[in-house]
């Protein structure tokens, strides 16, 4: 663990220097975030489809309520998980199960449990949380014609689901094309592909397709069903408020 | 007549549902059907074995549950209809309103009136600060809890929260346990990686109690937690002549200290040690053993069985021994979730070991488990009426 922390600290130190050299990284990330995040205060309805060997294994619905980039509340909507809630305040996390009605403090690793890592659906922004350097210009897909800017990013907070991300953004528009997602042990956990569509008159990410690199037969599609501006009351982001029926 | 009686038992369920639909502004419904089978092996070598028939040891059961949850504006309800056969062939139908309450807000205060599940504290195996719900944390399998009648006011200020609760305000001074008329105050504060809880409670029978708890996320994988509570009086099962009955008596401490580690490989480990002053002391268990082994030989067989069966009521405290150690390992790949845990009582080296396996499909969930009560012949866990218990349930939520 201490080796991991040292490695991470070294990477952070190295990249803070790199970030100074690449002022454009944050600007690019902000531009890329706008393809998933339309407002600071937002309610997003997500559908998660988990496929195993090409067959649908699970189909889940989630509501995600965001207040800025540091606060999010995930409400599970499918019958199998209904009543479960996860609250994320920066690097701090709580879970409530309907059977116990008791907000429970969980570790960043515990939030990885579940069909889709909560971080995959609740984190819609890279700017601020990640920094790094521009590696160069490369084809968006191997052998493809479209050109992408390749960024190598490292998390700026310890509790984020992915410690390191390799991200490819379309040259010019900064539309997200694909990403390689690495967990804290620096193991490649997932590969993501972004599918964009014209939604409410503007190009937005419609699907994020995640290919599990540990369980290779597993593919998860995170579909953004709707995004609407919503200013949730402050108390919704207090862990003890999770027991109240108002946020079911 | 039998059918009418069954219908009458459903009245609370019908009322709960009618209530939510009648006021329907914005309604939301969900529910689940669960079929559960349980098998038990009687303990044939324990001290109370001759009374196995009277203690209903080794009894199998089959149960069907239909639970419905509804929310309509400020009203929320959850009710369960249970159809059980215990033992198989003996039908029994009952209904239970798990929750039925109103919520509202005035200025910064949030109010709740009705029957609600109010669970507090930070531990897994034992929760001293769970002074309202008083949930049994060592149940063999999960079930929806039954709420407590409360009038509650809560205030959320930044990272802190205040809760003021009147529990069972209409109960008289004979009510005990979860039913006891009580007032409680809780303060919660989230400060970085730590969650602090402080609780004070006044009970009509049990007087004052107060305590604090902490949950601290030490690293990305490790959480430590601890709780400490002192009670002026505790309700505990204790000897009264030949019988063991629940009585309010001297006070004492309840405490728990534990850790929860979860790895990236989705393996999680829990270790927890707790002390509960409600349990019988070692000297009291020695006296119990003497009562079980020195039954007057001149007593008729039925009377001897009755005497031994009466001694089974000594097992009524939530923890058999004062000091307990819980070790649990669980893993999940989101479809299969195996788990194994053991509660060890150092005083007599008793062991209660449970293994379980759950399968989660897209909708359907199936879970099975097996619990064994073990240890040396002198251990209390080894002398419970059942030696092994197994269960299997299938749940379909909708």
């Amino acid at each position: 663990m201490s080796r991991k922390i040292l490695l991470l600290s070294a990477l952070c130190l190295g990249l803070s220097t790199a970030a100074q050299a690449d002022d454009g990284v944050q600007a690019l990330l902000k531009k890329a975030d706008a393809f998933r995040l339309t407002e600071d205060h937002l309610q997003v309805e997500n559908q998660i489809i988990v496929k195993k060997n090409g067959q649908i294994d699970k189909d889940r619905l989630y509501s995600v309520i965001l207040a800025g980039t540091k606060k999010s509340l995930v409400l599970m909507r499918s019958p199998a998980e209904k009543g479960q809630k996860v609250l994320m305040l920066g690097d701090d996390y709580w879970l409530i199960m309907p059977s116990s009605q008791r907000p429970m403090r969980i570790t960043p690793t515990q939030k990885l449990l579940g069909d889709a890592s909560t971080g995959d659906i609740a984190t819609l922004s890279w700017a601020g949380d990640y920094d790094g350097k521009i590696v160069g210009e490369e084809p968006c897909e191997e052998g493809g014609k479209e050109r992408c800017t390749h960024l190598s990013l490292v998390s700026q907070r310890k509790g984020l689901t992915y410690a390191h991300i390799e991200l490819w953004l379309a040259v010019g528009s900064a539309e997200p094309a694909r990403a390689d997602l690495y967990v804290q042990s620096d193991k490649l956990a997932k590969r993501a592909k972004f599918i964009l569509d014209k939604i409410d008159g503007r190009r937005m990410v419609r699907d994020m397709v995640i290919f599990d690199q540990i369980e290779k037969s597993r593919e998860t599609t995170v579909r953004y069903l709707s995004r609407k501006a919503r200013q949730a009351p402050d108390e919704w982001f207090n862990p003890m408020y999770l027991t109240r029926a108002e946020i079911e | 007549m039998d059918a009418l009686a069954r219908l009458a038992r459903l009245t609370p369920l019908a009322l709960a549902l009618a209530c939510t639909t009648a006021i329907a502004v914005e309604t939301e419904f969900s529910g689940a059907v669960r079929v559960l089978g349980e098998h038990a092996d009687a303990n044939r070598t324990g001290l109370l074995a001759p009374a196995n028939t009277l203690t209903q040891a080794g009894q199998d059961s089959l149960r069907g549950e239909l639970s419905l949850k509804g929310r309509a504006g400020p009203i929320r309800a959850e009710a369960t209809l249970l159809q059980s056969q215990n033992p198989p062939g003996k039908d029994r139908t009952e209904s239970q309103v798990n929750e039925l309450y109103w919520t509202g807000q005035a200025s910064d205060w949030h109010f709740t009136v009705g029957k609600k599940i109010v669970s507090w504290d930070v531990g897994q195996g034992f929760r001293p600060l769970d002074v309202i719900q008083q949930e049994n944390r060592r149940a063999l399998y999960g079930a929806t809890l039954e709420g407590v009648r409360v009038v509650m006011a809560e205030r959320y200020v930044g990272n802190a929260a205040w809760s003021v609760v009147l529990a069972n305000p209409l109960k008289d001074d004979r009510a005990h346990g979860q039913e006891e008329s009580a007032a409680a105050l809780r303060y919660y504060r989230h400060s970085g990686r730590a969650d602090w809880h402080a609780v004070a409670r006044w009970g009509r029978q049990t007087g004052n109690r107060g305590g604090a708890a902490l949950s601290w996320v030490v690293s990305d994988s490790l959480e430590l937690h601890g709780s400490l509570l002192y009670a002026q009086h505790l309700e505990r099962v204790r000897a009264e002549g030949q019988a063991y009955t629940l009585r309010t008596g001297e006070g004492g401490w309840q405490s728990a200290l534990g850790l929860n580690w979860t790895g990236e490989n989705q393996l999680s480990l829990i270790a927890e040690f707790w002390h509960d002053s409600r349990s019988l002391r070692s000297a009291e268990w020695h006296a119990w053993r003497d009562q079980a082994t020195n039954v007057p030989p001149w007593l008729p067989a039925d009377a001897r069985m009755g005497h031994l069966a009466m001694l089974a009521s000594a097992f009524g405290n939530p923890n058999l021994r004062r000091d307990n150690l819980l070790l649990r390992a669980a893993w999940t790949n989101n479809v299969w979730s195996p788990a194994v845990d053991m509660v060890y009582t150092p005083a007599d080296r008793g062991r209660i070991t449970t293994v379980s396996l759950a399968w989660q499909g897209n909708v359907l969930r199936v879970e099975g488990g097996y619990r064994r009560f073990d240890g040396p012949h002198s251990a209390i866990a080894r002398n419970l009426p059942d030696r092994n218990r197994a269960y299997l349930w299938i749940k379909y939520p909708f």
Side-chain angles (χ1 to χ4, degrees):
Chain A
M1 193 64 194
S2 57
R3 255 186 71 188
K4 232 189 284 174
I5 293 167
L6 275 174
L7 179 69
L8 210 68
S9 315
L11 277 168
C12 287
L13 272 173
L15 282 161
S16 62
T17 325
Q20 282 167 8
D22 280 315
D23 286 340
V25 169
Q26 285 301 319
L28 267 176
L29 292 180
K30 270 186 192 154
K31 224 169 150 185
D33 284 343
F35 288 95
R36 289 191 296 169
L37 199 64
T38 50
E39 307 273 345
D40 267 359
H41 292 81
L42 194 66
Q43 175 158 347
V44 184
E45 301 301 326
N46 283 126
Q47 182 183 20
I48 309 281
I49 302 159
V50 182
K51 285 183 185 170
K52 265 196 171 173
N53 299 312
Q55 301 290 309
I56 292 180
D57 187 41
K58 280 177 195 166
D59 192 341
R60 299 275 187 261
L61 293 171
Y62 299 89
S63 296
V64 184
I65 298 158
L66 298 157
T69 55
K70 299 283 188 287
K71 294 180 181 177
S72 52
L73 175 62
V74 181
L75 310 175
M76 280 68 162
R77 299 288 192 199
S78 298
E81 299 177 328
K82 202 169 169 68
Q84 291 181 39
K85 302 166 198 170
V86 176
L87 175 66
M88 303 166 72
L89 302 178
D91 294 342
D92 304 322
Y93 309 90
W94 292 264
L95 164 75
I96 190 164
M97 301 295 284
S99 55
S100 75
Q101 289 292 312
R102 182 182 69 107
M104 207 163 47
R105 187 74 193 249
I106 58 171
T107 61
T109 316
Q110 276 175 296
K111 85 173 191 301
L112 297 171
L113 305 179
D115 285 316
S117 150
T118 317
D120 287 334
I121 47 174
T123 312
L124 294 180
S125 66
W126 291 304
D129 281 350
Y130 290 91
D131 211 339
K133 62 178 180 182
I134 295 168
V135 177
E137 211 177 287
E138 296 171 9
C140 295
E141 300 284 341
E142 215 171 293
K145 282 181 190 163
E146 288 178 28
R147 304 294 291 171
C148 272
T149 307
H150 175 187
L151 291 99
S152 186
L153 306 171
V154 168
S155 64
Q156 301 298 295
R157 295 193 285 120
K158 265 201 80 189
L160 292 172
T161 307
Y162 304 110
H164 162 201
I165 297 177
E166 296 293 317
L167 179 66
W168 286 263
L169 304 175
V171 170
S173 67
E175 281 182 10
R178 67 185 173 100
D180 286 352
L181 309 162
Y182 294 81
V183 286
Q184 296 291 338
S185 58
D186 217 28
K187 189 192 282 179
L188 173 62
K190 290 165 186 174
R191 284 208 144 114
K193 199 169 102 179
F194 299 90
I195 298 167
L196 285 86
D197 206 352
K198 203 162 187 182
I199 299 162
D200 298 329
R202 59 183 276 201
R203 261 180 87 73
M204 300 287 294
V205 173
R206 190 197 67 203
D207 290 347
M208 176 167 72
V209 187
I210 300 167
F211 304 93
D212 200 309
Q213 295 304 296
I214 296 160
E215 202 182 325
K216 295 269 186 185
S217 59
R218 200 176 151 97
E219 177 190 315
T220 306
T221 302
V222 179
R223 179 158 295 161
Y224 300 93
L225 298 174
S226 72
R227 297 170 176 91
K228 61 179 180 199
R230 180 174 190 181
Q231 180 93 40
D234 272 353
E235 55 262 36
W236 284 37
F237 300 96
N238 185 309
M240 292 304 114
Y241 196 83
L242 296 178
T243 57
R244 294 197 65 86
E246 286 90 332
I247 48 171
E248 280 184 3
Chain B
M1 278 308 281
D2 190 38
L4 276 175
R6 281 185 191 186
L7 275 174
R9 287 191 199 107
L10 295 179
T11 312
L13 174 69
L15 277 175
L17 297 177
C19 200
T20 50
T21 44
I23 315 165
V25 187
E26 190 184 315
T27 55
E28 198 179 303
F29 281 99
S30 61
V33 177
R34 180 164 84 157
V35 180
L36 192 151
E38 202 176 336
H39 168 75
D41 289 324
N43 184 356
R44 298 188 195 289
T45 55
L47 290 171
L48 308 185
N52 275 351
T53 323
L54 290 180
T55 56
Q56 300 188 323
Q59 204 163 82
D60 296 345
S61 68
L62 188 64
R63 200 159 84 209
E65 296 172 359
L66 166 68
S67 61
L68 295 170
K69 272 186 213 179
R71 190 162 73 89
I75 307 285
R76 189 192 186 282
E78 175 163 9
T80 309
L81 172 66
L82 301 144
Q83 168 80 40
S84 61
Q85 294 199 343
N86 185 13
K90 265 195 175 175
D91 275 3
R92 191 173 162 205
T93 306
E94 52 188 316
S95 61
Q96 183 182 77
V97 177
N98 302 88
E99 290 192 304
L100 175 58
Y101 62 85
W102 166 89
T103 58
Q105 187 178 353
S107 182
D108 287 343
W109 286 91
H110 298 261
F111 297 95
T112 304
V113 179
K115 193 175 180 184
K116 188 181 191 304
I117 298 165
V118 182
S119 292
W120 292 349
D121 209 351
V122 296
Q124 297 293 326
F126 181 52
R127 295 176 186 159
L129 265 59
D130 190 20
V131 295
I132 302 293
Q133 190 63 39
Q134 301 179 38
E135 178 189 349
N136 169 20
R137 294 294 306 155
R138 291 298 302 152
L140 181 58
Y141 45 81
T144 307
L145 301 175
E146 189 174 354
V148 179
R149 289 160 184 84
V150 291
V151 177
M152 191 156 70
E154 291 170 290
R155 188 161 186 242
Y156 307 91
V157 191
N159 291 334
W162 289 94
S163 305
V164 183
V165 184
L166 283 180
N168 306 301
L170 304 178
K171 291 276 180 184
D172 61 27
D173 56 8
R174 281 168 301 176
H176 59 83
Q178 195 201 47
E179 301 270 293
E180 186 190 9
S181 190
L185 174 72
R186 178 185 60 166
Y187 175 70
Y188 162 83
R189 184 167 195 85
H190 153 226
S191 170
R193 286 180 167 251
D195 276 18
W196 295 91
H197 303 251
V199 165
R201 179 188 189 268
W202 174 84
R204 203 175 238 193
Q205 278 208 53
T206 55
N208 303 319
R209 66 179 72 181
L214 165 72
S215 171
W216 177 36
V217 175
V218 181
S219 71
D220 283 0
S221 304
L222 182 67
E223 181 261 358
L224 301 178
H225 55 263
S227 309
L228 184 68
L229 179 123
Y230 180 76
Q232 190 183 14
H233 299 288
L234 284 168
E235 275 184 338
R236 56 193 292 259
V237 170
R238 63 177 188 194
E240 287 228 329
Q242 294 296 304
Y244 285 80
T245 47
L246 187 68
R247 286 281 180 267
T248 302
E250 63 192 39
W253 293 93
Q254 292 175 312
S255 57
L257 188 65
L259 65 87
N260 189 338
W261 177 89
T262 309
E264 274 175 13
N265 54 5
Q266 308 208 345
L267 173 73
S268 66
L269 304 171
I270 293 173
E272 213 167 72
F273 182 82
W274 67 85
H275 173 85
D276 185 0
S277 293
R278 288 174 299 180
S279 308
L280 298 185
R281 294 184 183 87
S282 290
E284 290 174 296
W285 280 121
H286 281 305
W288 176 86
R289 171 173 282 279
D290 286 345
Q291 285 177 298
T293 48
N294 300 320
V295 185
W298 44 263
L299 274 181
D302 283 355
R304 296 177 80 170
M305 273 174 58
H307 169 77
L308 290 175
M310 217 154 56
L311 293 179
S313 52
F315 305 135
N317 287 312
N319 293 298
L320 290 173
R321 304 300 310 234
R322 293 194 159 202
D323 295 327
N324 300 268
L325 174 69
L326 167 74
L327 297 171
R328 178 182 162 86
W331 177 80
T332 183
N333 70 353
N334 300 318
V335 178
W336 295 99
S337 303
V340 57
D341 70 50
M342 185 183 72
V343 173
Y344 175 72
T345 50
D348 60 5
R349 292 178 289 137
R351 298 185 302 273
I352 301 174
T353 310
T354 311
V355 290
S356 65
L357 179 66
W359 175 85
Q360 178 67 63
N362 190 26
V363 180
L364 209 65
R365 184 176 174 88
V366 183
E367 188 181 310
Y370 168 83
R371 178 171 285 182
R372 183 167 176 84
F373 304 93
D374 219 340
H377 280 280
S378 56
I380 301 306
R382 179 71 177 76
N383 285 289
L384 293 172
D386 288 331
R387 188 73 206 280
N388 307 301
R389 288 174 73 189
Y391 71 93
L392 179 71
W393 58 255
I394 301 172
K395 187 176 180 181
Y396 179 82
F398 53 86

